[in-house]
């Protein structure tokens, strides 16, 4: 046996950090290739219009401009961007062409790509492209979309991508006239991830070998590789996608966007390497948006507060096209609407509609943030109506440990039934309240202190993780005694080089410095499925466990042959294979050896937890201060506590951004009004100094060998709900009930003004 | 986000700068700290044919206290204001306002002349000029002229500067000892443009328990910073009590003009400005009563 785990479970410093903190990371804009051109994308300034003509002649005539490519220069049919996850039936009617042809459907849609000798020249050329638009009425929001008066894709005959019902339990149960019930409508604003580093690509066509190399991949390099090869008519092995360091992904980076075709296509067209770096303004219109959703929801419970049913409708705005991940947003909102509570009857109508806005895609915790806000707000209103404390109401309705695993039924149309796995939801809930000092702080609820009203708010969340196909890993023991690990997961800043190293170190009894994690290229493995849905540790990590155990057996067998014993008698320690009587040999002497492994196909694990927010509201200005915030969650098993804590805190801050600050604003003409970091408000270091996250390893999941649950996303689900509940509690004397985010100062002011008007009537 | 092409000049004195500006027939822009202009160029919202960089012109960064005024050169940066012992005494309200200007990186480069010429509705410095009855010295084709702040600030990004004219200096009237002042603004995040703000000062008559010579300006809510003359007149020599604050706020509500944008509707901005005014008056009145001004 190997010695007991020493690395897994420890906060080993991140192996990535030496490189990154000393400026030795390589990001896409660091790449310089001989003869490289810069690209700039010409984007639609109209939300919805017929494109009568594009005149690029003046742009082409500018010295230093090498080419300007528009739809006319692409092969027919213009390739369309495929759906990657959440394949809703009929969604394929609304796929985005890689370049607009004949019609534009949102501000920012690519119409042409300029290649020039410098970025400045490329941007100068953009100003010289002229388009003759025939304006059409924009579809400016969910309501507009559902009326179907203006159709974005007339051939489909509707703006609705999805229109379905999910149910569980006996609906008749919910009709009992004796039940308390309340119906409310909620809304989440359009907002998105906004990673610090925008997207970027460097494509390099090697005409001699007929081979294409694309740097700047992230998230799902193999998926992009496969579809790009198909669109370009190339064999998969002639296309290599390479990952570099990235400044954040959060779900939006690394999906298939128009530029993922246009930049490689342009490189092949002109026979020179091409770099494209998305600028911040185009990022806001070109990279996926998310979260925009309306919900009308009825809660039915017994007079004691036991929830019987949640029924209603979720309607999401998916933007102008169905992106590779678009339908995941409303479908997961529906799936997670009941959260970690025992809700016998669930009956939800799900609508996804198209509007003249940037396509919507997955953003960290897609649907979970929204679902938690809708549910937890309504629960607080119900608890208040029933005279039950919000903590009591939740404790009573949380699924009991003894009821796990808990079947949630089939709540998405493209997957079978699911079940929550392990945990103790009430224990984590109680721990959170205790650590936060809920009972003592609760005395401040609704009280004025130094001119501001204080309030506490709760939210309980649950999240699946580890979706998609299985992952693959190969471990190679090299002649120098080091182990090289090839894995199909991709790095988005979540520290997988470190956590994977810890896993291998423990499995092989090898010092971390002797382990190198290689995930950067589609040439390292036959296939891989990347990093999304908090799956890297679950899929990649467990594939590595399987592969490491195979390599361990190979090392043992090789050593056993040398020592004339059986493999069982060999122990691996400090990079040596040891026989009991003190005979040992270095791994290097046994090289080369390899181990391969895959993991996948199992049911998903479900992480869960409780969030509590303490806010102070300045009634005069509408400012909401986060006085304190705590999340306690259960990740099943933790490989690196420091990394997990960083993920959780980062997710909370990002969620607080969605709760209080961030909003992609469109006007009535479907023009995006927030196209800079001055207008789109991200949380900064000064905004939320007081918060913490505690992650427990309480209930390992039996659904993977490591026992881990995803840790990257679930914590973003809580803040919208917890903060809104805290604001409601703070302003309870006015009867203010926030039903819409963000809770920015003007909204607080408007809520108070409406409350004052009610009081006067 | 790259600059459009432009020509670049770095003149050695003001007349040369004026001549250069005029030679471009209105298509050149002066460059001071560049903290507003350069981002606008990167966004290609403006594309001047030439930039006339003022940084090599000597004498534009002076901080001088004369007998009757505090004179600040146009290239005095925010960070210079914050660490100047002269200004700390000669205009404490200005120092407090400058603390609220953007982030420290911006304060290290941004200049008060640039801010004044740019005339953003939410900028602190134009509001301080307005509330302080500052005089703006400008230089142009026909030599110098002096413009009162009230006449200089015309609208959102609109000033009385004529073609070829440059801000050379700003002169503030001398600040008497014992003057009470208050500045506050509210922004969504620290360093953001204020959704509204208020700057005020007055001279207390402690024996009478009243204040005279009220100067009050609100900014960030409309196109341009606004003096609230009616409130100033109302408060003149009024006893420092809450009833008068309430009345002053009501008067301000009638006189202030607010606009809405994506960050806040007009109604909110006006309500915010009057809220801040009330809070400011409360602080000033407390100081009158407490005698710790």
């Amino acid at each position: 046996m190997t010695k007991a785990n020493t690395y897994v479970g420890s906060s080993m410093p991140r192996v990535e950090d030496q490189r990154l903190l000393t400026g030795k990371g390589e990001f896409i804009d660091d790449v310089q290739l001989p003869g490289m051109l810069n690209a700039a994308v010409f984007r639609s300034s109209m939300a919805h219009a017929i494109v009568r003509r594009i005149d690029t002649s003046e742009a082409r005539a500018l010295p230093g401009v090498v080419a300007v490519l528009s739809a006319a220069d692409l092969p027919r049919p213009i390739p369309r961007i495929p759906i990657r996850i959440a394949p809703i039936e009929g969604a394929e009617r609304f796929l985005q062409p890689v370049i607009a042809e004949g019609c534009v459907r949102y501000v920012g849609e690519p119409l042409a790509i300029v290649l020039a000798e410098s970025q400045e020249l490329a941007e100068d050329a953009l100003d010289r492209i002229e388009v003759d638009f025939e304006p059409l009425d924009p579809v400016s929001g969910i309501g507009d979309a559902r009326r179907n008066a203006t159709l974005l894709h007339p051939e489909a005959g509707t703006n609705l991508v999805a229109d379905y019902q999910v149910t569980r339990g006996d609906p008749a149960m919910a009709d009992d006239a004796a039940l308390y019930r309340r119906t409310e409508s909620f809304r989440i604003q359009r907002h998105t991830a906004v990673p610090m580093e925008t997207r970027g690509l460097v494509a390099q066509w090697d005409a001699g070998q007929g081979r294409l190399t694309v740097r700047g991949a992230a998230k799902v390099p193999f998926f992009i590789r496969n579809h790009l090869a198909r669109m370009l008519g190339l064999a998969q092995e002639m296309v290599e996608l390479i990952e570099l360091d990235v400044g954040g992904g959060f779900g939006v980076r690394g999906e298939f966007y128009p530029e993922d075709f246009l930049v490689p296509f342009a490189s092949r067209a002109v026979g020179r390497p091409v770099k494209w770096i998305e600028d911040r303004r185009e990022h806001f219109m070109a990279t996926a948006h998310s979260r925009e959703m309306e919900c009308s929801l009825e809660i039915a419970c017994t007079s004691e507060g036991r929830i019987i049913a949640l029924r209603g409708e979720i309607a999401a705005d998916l933007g102008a096209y169905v992106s590779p991940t678009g339908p995941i947003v409303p479908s997961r909102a529906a799936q997670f609407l009941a959260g970690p509570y025992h809700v016998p009857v669930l009956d939800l109508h799900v609508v996804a509609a198209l509007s003249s806005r940037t396509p919507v895609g997955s953003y960290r915790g897609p649907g979970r943030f929204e679902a938690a806000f809708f549910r937890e707000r309504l629960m607080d209103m119900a608890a208040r109506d029933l005279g039950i404390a919000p903590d009591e109401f939740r404790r009573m309705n949380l699924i009991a440990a003894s009821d796990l695993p808990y079947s949630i039924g089939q709540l998405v149309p493209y997957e079978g039934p699911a079940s929550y796995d392990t945990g103790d939801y009430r224990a984590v809930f109680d721990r959170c309240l205790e650590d936060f000092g809920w009972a003592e702080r609760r005395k401040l609820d609704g009280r004025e202190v130094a001119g501001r009203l204080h309030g506490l708010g709760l939210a309980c969340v649950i999240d699946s993780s580890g979706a998609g196909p299985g992952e693959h890993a190969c471990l190679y023991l090299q002649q120098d005694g080091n182990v090289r690990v090839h894995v199909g997961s991709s790095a988005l800043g979540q520290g997988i080089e470190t956590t994977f190293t810890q896993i291998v170190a423990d499995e092989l009894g090898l010092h971390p410095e002797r382990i190198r994690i290689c995930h950067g290229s589609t040439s390292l493995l036959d296939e891989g499925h990347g990093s999304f849905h908090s799956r890297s540790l679950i899929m990649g990590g467990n594939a590595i466990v399987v592969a490491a155990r195979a390599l361990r057996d190979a090392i043992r067998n090789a050593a056993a042959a040398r020592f004339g014993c059986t493999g069982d008698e060999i122990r691996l320690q400090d990079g040596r294979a040891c026989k009991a009587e003190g005979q040992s040999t270095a791994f290097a002497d046994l090289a080369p050896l390899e181990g391969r492994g895959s993991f996948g196909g199992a049911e998903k694990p479900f992480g869960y937890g409780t969030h509590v927010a303490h806010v102070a509201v300045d009634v005069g200005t509408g400012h909401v201060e986060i006085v304190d915030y705590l999340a306690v969650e259960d990740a099943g098993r933790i490989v690196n506590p420091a990394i997990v804590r960083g993920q959780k805190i980062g997710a909370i801050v990002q969620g607080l951004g969605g709760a209080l600050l961030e909003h992609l604003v469109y006007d009535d003409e479907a023009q995006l009004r927030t196209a800079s970091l001055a207008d789109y408000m991200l949380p900064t270091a000064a905004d939320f100094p007081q918060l913490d996250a505690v992650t427990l390893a309480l209930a390992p999941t039996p659904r993977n060998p490591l026992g881990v649950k995803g840790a990257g996303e679930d914590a973003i689900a809580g803040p919208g709900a917890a903060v809104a509940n805290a604001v409601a509690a703070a302003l309870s004397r006015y009867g203010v009930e926030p039903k819409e985010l963000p809770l920015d100062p003007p909204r607080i002011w408007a809520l108070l003004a409406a409350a004052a008007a009610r009081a006067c009537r | 986000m790259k600059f459009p092409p432009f020509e670049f000049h770095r003149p050695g004195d003001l007349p040369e700068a004026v001549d250069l500006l005029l030679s471009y027939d209105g298509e050149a822009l002066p460059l001071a700290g560049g903290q507003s202009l350069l981002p606008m160029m990167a966004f290609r919202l403006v594309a001047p044919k030439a930039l006339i960089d003022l940084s090599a012109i000597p004498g534009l960064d002076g901080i001088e206290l004369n007998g009757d005024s505090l004179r600040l050169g146009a290239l005095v940066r925010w960070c210079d204001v914050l660490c100047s012992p002269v200004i700390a005494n000669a205009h404490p309200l200005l120092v407090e306002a400058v603390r609220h200007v953007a982030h420290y990186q911006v304060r290290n480069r941004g200049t008060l002349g640039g801010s004044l010429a740019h005339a953003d509705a939410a900028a602190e410095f134009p509001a301080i000029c307005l509330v302080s009855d500052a005089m703006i010295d400008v230089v142009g084709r026909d030599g110098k002229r002096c413009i009162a702040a009230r006449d200089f600030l015309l609208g959102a990004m609109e000033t009385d500067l004529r073609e070829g004219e440059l801000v050379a200096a700003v002169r503030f009237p001398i600040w008497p000892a014992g003057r009470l002042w208050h500045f506050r603004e509210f922004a969504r995040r620290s360093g953001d443009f204020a959704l509204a703000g208020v700057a005020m000062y007055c001279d207390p008559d402690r024996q009478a328990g009243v204040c005279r010579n009220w100067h009050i300006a609100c900014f960030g809510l409309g196109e341009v910073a606004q003096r609230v003359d009616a409130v100033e007149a109302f408060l003149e020599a009024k006893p420092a009590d809450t009833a008068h604050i309430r009345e002053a706020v009501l008067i301000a509500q009638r006189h202030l003009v607010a606009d809405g944008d994506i960050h806040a509707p007009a109604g909110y901005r006006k309500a915010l400005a009057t809220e801040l005014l009330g809070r400011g008056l409360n602080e000033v009145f407390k100081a009158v009563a407490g005698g710790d001004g």
Side-chain angles (χ1 to χ4, degrees):
Chain A
M1 283 298 294
T2 55
K3 62 182 173 173
N5 283 348
T6 50
Y7 290 106
V8 170
S10 76
S11 289
M12 188 175 101
R14 284 168 28 113
V15 301
E16 296 90 340
D17 287 348
Q18 177 73 21
R19 174 175 87 238
L20 295 170
L21 296 178
T22 56
K24 297 191 179 69
E26 188 185 29
F27 296 84
I28 187 63
D29 205 18
D30 295 328
V31 176
Q32 296 295 340
L33 299 176
M36 190 172 74
L37 297 171
N38 290 84
V41 179
F42 180 82
R43 299 180 183 280
S44 174
S45 57
M46 301 287 292
H48 191 197
I50 304 284
V51 181
R52 286 208 190 109
R53 198 173 63 93
I54 304 179
D55 182 355
T56 60
S57 55
E58 264 201 66
R60 283 176 215 258
L62 193 67
V65 171
V66 174
V68 182
L69 306 173
S70 63
D73 302 294
L74 264 67
R76 293 295 182 280
I78 302 276
R80 288 181 179 260
I81 296 172
I83 292 175
R84 188 177 64 77
I85 51 172
I88 300 268
E89 200 183 325
E92 66 284 351
R93 294 173 293 169
F94 308 105
L95 302 184
Q96 179 169 12
V98 295
I99 198 159
E101 181 197 13
C103 181
V104 289
R105 297 181 175 87
Y106 65 95
V107 171
E109 184 167 3
L111 277 160
I113 182 167
V114 175
L115 309 178
E117 299 290 350
S118 75
Q119 185 64 33
E120 286 81 355
L121 285 168
E123 293 185 22
D124 292 347
L126 294 184
D127 294 339
R128 295 172 179 232
I129 295 174
E130 290 194 6
V131 183
D132 185 5
F133 288 116
E134 179 186 333
L136 300 171
D137 290 337
V139 179
S140 63
I142 299 172
D144 212 4
R146 296 181 73 172
R147 278 188 288 280
N148 276 327
T150 300
L151 295 177
L152 278 179
H153 302 264
E155 63 286 358
T158 177
N159 290 323
L160 296 192
V161 177
D163 186 355
Y164 63 85
Q165 199 80 17
V166 289
T167 56
R168 83 171 179 228
D170 174 11
M173 251 180 93
D175 292 330
D176 182 348
L179 294 176
Y180 158 86
R181 55 186 83 239
R182 180 166 180 170
T183 303
E184 293 289 349
S185 293
F186 304 97
R187 188 183 153 76
I188 302 264
Q189 83 282 17
R190 181 173 275 248
H191 61 288
T192 189
V194 196
M196 287 303 286
E197 186 200 19
T198 55
R199 292 182 296 136
L201 296 165
V202 174
Q204 183 179 20
W205 171 248
D206 180 338
Q209 295 195 39
R211 193 180 150 80
L212 177 71
T213 305
V214 182
R215 292 173 176 81
K219 192 173 182 180
V220 287
F222 286 86
F223 177 85
I224 309 268
R225 191 269 314 258
N226 296 350
H227 286 280
L228 181 59
R230 172 179 59 76
M231 292 175 184
L232 291 170
L234 296 170
Q236 288 185 1
E237 65 272 18
M238 299 312 278
V239 178
E240 183 179 17
L241 271 277
I242 295 177
E243 279 178 58
L244 303 172
D245 288 313
V246 297
F250 312 113
V252 300
R253 178 195 297 281
E255 292 289 356
F256 205 124
Y257 288 93
E259 300 82 4
D260 289 86
F261 174 85
L262 294 175
V263 176
F265 175 80
S267 175
R268 188 171 69 170
V270 300
R272 289 173 66 177
V274 174
K275 174 189 277 188
W276 169 71
I277 302 293
E278 183 184 55
D279 72 30
R280 184 60 70 186
R281 177 171 48 177
E282 67 181 336
H283 176 84
F284 279 113
M285 56 184 84
T287 292
H289 293 175
S290 204
R291 302 272 200 262
E292 185 172 14
M293 202 178 288
E294 296 175 357
C295 176
S296 168
L297 194 60
E298 179 204 61
I299 189 170
C301 15
T302 65
S303 55
E304 298 81 40
R306 294 211 175 271
I307 301 173
I308 301 300
L310 285 173
R311 302 191 290 190
E313 180 184 86
I314 283 172
D317 179 347
L318 292 193
Y321 298 97
V322 174
S323 82
T325 60
I328 202 82
V329 179
S331 60
R332 293 297 180 208
Q335 186 185 20
F336 286 100
L337 199 62
Y341 302 100
H342 176 57
V343 179
V345 179
L346 201 59
D347 192 1
L348 299 169
H349 182 211
V350 181
V351 173
L354 298 174
S355 73
S356 306
R357 299 181 179 183
T358 295
V360 158
S362 177
Y363 159 38
R364 197 177 203 174
R368 284 74 162 179
F369 178 91
E370 299 91 318
F373 175 72
F374 304 147
R375 171 188 70 243
E376 299 287 327
R377 277 278 46 235
L378 187 58
M379 286 176 65
D380 261 21
M381 295 184 204
R384 198 163 299 141
D385 286 348
L386 294 168
I388 302 171
D391 53 331
E392 265 318 301
F393 189 81
R394 286 176 174 79
R395 192 177 285 108
M396 164 185 351
N397 284 294
L398 280 169
I399 294 166
S402 56
D403 288 336
L404 290 170
Y406 178 93
S407 170
I408 60 169
Q410 187 191 356
L411 297 178
V412 286
Y414 48 83
E415 283 176 354
S419 65
Y420 297 161
D421 52 348
T422 51
D424 190 335
Y425 302 172
R426 292 177 187 173
V428 168
F429 179 81
D430 288 337
R431 166 79 186 266
C432 180
L433 267 54
E434 191 185 325
D435 283 7
F436 198 67
W438 168 269
E440 186 60 29
R441 282 184 200 243
R442 187 99 208 287
K443 295 171 188 161
L444 282 172
D445 238 4
R447 295 269 298 278
E448 185 177 331
V449 181
R452 295 182 307 164
L453 292 171
H454 285 242
L456 300 192
L458 284 168
C460 297
V461 299
I462 189 159
D463 193 5
S464 60
S465 46
E471 199 54 88
H472 311 281
C474 290
L475 271 62
Y476 300 96
L477 174 59
Q478 305 174 156
Q479 303 285 2
D480 58 5
N482 292 346
V483 168
R484 200 169 78 246
V485 180
H486 291 185
V487 63
S489 301
S490 50
L492 296 154
Q494 75 276 49
I496 59 170
E497 292 172 36
T498 305
T499 47
F500 289 174
T501 297
Q502 290 175 269
I503 292 167
V504 175
D506 278 357
E507 291 293 337
L508 296 182
L510 190 61
H511 193 276
E513 283 183 3
R514 288 192 163 274
I515 299 161
R516 196 156 67 86
I517 307 295
C518 305
H519 56 81
S521 162
T522 53
S523 298
L524 294 172
L525 288 163
D526 292 336
E527 63 172 329
H529 296 283
S531 293
F532 56 95
H533 196 226
S534 299
R535 59 171 260 140
S536 295
L537 188 58
I538 296 169
M539 293 297 185
N542 281 297
I544 286 171
V545 168
V546 176
R549 288 176 184 169
L551 177 58
R552 187 180 65 194
D553 291 345
I555 293 171
R556 280 184 180 160
N557 291 339
R562 184 162 301 187
F563 298 140
C565 62
T566 65
D568 299 347
E569 296 170 70
I570 302 294
R571 206 162 36 85
L572 307 189
Q573 190 177 347
D574 295 336
R576 300 186 73 82
C578 313
K579 197 184 162 194
E581 301 90 87
Q583 278 181 297
S584 75
T585 183
F587 284 6
D589 298 332
L590 304 170
L593 291 171
E594 65 177 68
R596 290 174 178 271
S598 299
F599 178 77
E603 285 185 277
K604 298 172 194 168
F606 288 79
Y608 62 92
T610 297
H611 290 227
V612 54
H614 176 180
V615 305
V617 183
D618 184 332
V619 172
T621 64
H623 181 249
V624 176
E625 185 200 348
I626 305 297
V627 176
D628 205 351
Y629 193 102
L630 177 69
V632 178
E633 300 185 308
D634 180 12
R637 186 163 171 231
I638 299 170
V639 174
N640 188 312
I643 285 179
V644 169
R645 183 162 180 269
Q647 285 285 329
K648 299 289 187 187
I649 287 176
I652 291 168
V653 171
Q654 209 165 22
L656 289 172
L660 294 167
L661 294 166
E662 300 178 40
H663 193 180
L664 290 159
V665 178
Y666 279 87
D667 65 17
D668 293 342
E669 298 302 309
Q671 289 285 338
L672 179 64
R673 300 288 306 280
T674 43
S676 79
L677 290 175
D679 286 331
Y680 186 86
M681 308 238 149
L682 288 178
T684 64
D687 291 313
F688 308 120
Q690 189 62 38
L691 53 87
D692 204 358
V694 172
T695 308
L696 309 172
L698 188 66
T701 183
R703 295 178 178 178
N704 65 65
L706 283 167
V708 294
K709 302 178 173 191
E713 298 181 74
D714 54 353
I716 205 171
V723 168
N725 281 339
V727 167
L731 302 180
S732 57
R733 66 174 67 175
Y734 302 107
V736 163
E737 296 286 8
K739 296 171 194 170
E740 195 170 337
L741 297 180
L743 292 169
D744 54 28
R747 192 180 310 283
I748 299 289
W749 171 77
L751 286 167
L752 287 164
R758 276 199 307 274
C760 287
R761 276 205 300 271
Chain B
M1 291 272 208
K2 301 293 182 194
F3 295 143
F6 59 89
E7 291 165 31
F8 183 82
H9 300 279
R10 185 176 284 157
D13 58 39
L14 272 173
E16 189 190 347
V18 170
D19 286 345
L20 276 165
L21 278 173
L22 290 167
S23 71
Y24 281 94
D25 212 14
E27 294 195 63
L29 287 172
L31 174 66
Q35 298 303 293
S36 299
L37 175 58
L38 298 186
M40 287 169 72
M41 285 174 63
F43 270 91
R44 297 190 179 229
L45 295 171
V46 288
K49 201 175 265 180
L51 287 183
I52 314 301
D53 178 8
L54 307 179
S55 65
I57 299 175
L60 282 183
D61 58 355
I63 297 173
E64 296 156 33
L65 190 57
N66 303 323
D68 62 346
S69 72
L70 170 70
R71 185 179 187 279
L72 304 177
L75 291 191
V76 168
R77 299 168 303 164
W78 308 124
C79 58
D80 301 327
V81 172
L82 292 175
C83 63
S84 161
V86 173
I87 304 176
N89 282 318
H91 208 315
L93 171 61
L94 171 62
V95 178
E96 180 59 25
V98 169
R99 284 189 224 284
H100 292 79
V101 173
H103 303 95
Y104 72 87
Q105 294 92 334
V106 174
R107 292 194 294 270
N108 283 342
R109 281 194 173 268
T111 67
L112 51 89
S115 170
L116 205 49
H118 181 58
D120 192 292
E124 291 83 1
F125 188 69
I128 297 302
C129 291
L130 182 69
V131 80
S132 307
D133 294 326
M135 296 299 292
I136 321 296
D137 293 342
V138 305
V139 182
R141 181 184 354 221
D142 307 320
K144 296 179 183 175
R145 60 187 184 115
C146 296
I147 312 164
R150 204 184 266 264
D151 302 322
F152 182 88
L153 298 165
L154 300 180
M157 297 188 185
E158 196 188 341
T159 68
D160 188 42
L161 281 174
R162 298 169 193 159
E163 196 181 322
E165 273 187 336
L166 289 163
V167 175
V170 181
R171 283 179 290 123
F172 292 96
I174 209 76
W175 188 268
R179 176 168 281 179
L180 295 176
W181 56 271
H182 189 78
F183 180 89
R184 69 170 62 206
E185 66 173 47
F186 179 74
R188 298 211 26 212
R189 299 171 304 181
S190 150
D192 283 335
F193 284 118
L195 297 179
V198 60
M200 64 178 77
Y201 66 80
C202 60
D203 295 318
D205 177 342
R206 294 188 189 281
Q207 272 161 352
V210 299
C211 293
R212 303 181 204 283
N213 190 31
W214 281 93
H215 283 59
I216 304 173
C218 293
F219 64 97
L221 72 162
E223 286 199 338
V224 64
Q226 301 163 51
R227 278 288 284 273
V228 270
D229 305 310
V231 176
E232 293 175 1
F234 169 77
L235 287 171
E236 186 69 20
K238 287 284 190 324
D241 59 38
T242 51
H244 285 107
I245 293 178
R246 272 202 301 277
E247 184 63 28
V249 165
L250 289 174
I251 295 169
Q253 263 161 8
R254 287 199 294 275
H255 284 84
L256 288 171
V257 179
D259 294 318
D261 67 5
I262 57 165
H263 296 296
Y268 170 79
R269 285 180 191 269
K270 195 178 206 178
L272 177 64
T274 52
E275 171 73 23
L276 299 178
L277 172 68
R279 290 182 186 190
L281 292 174
N282 198 41
E283 292 296 317
V284 171
F285 279 4
K286 265 199 291 192
V288 179
D292 59 351

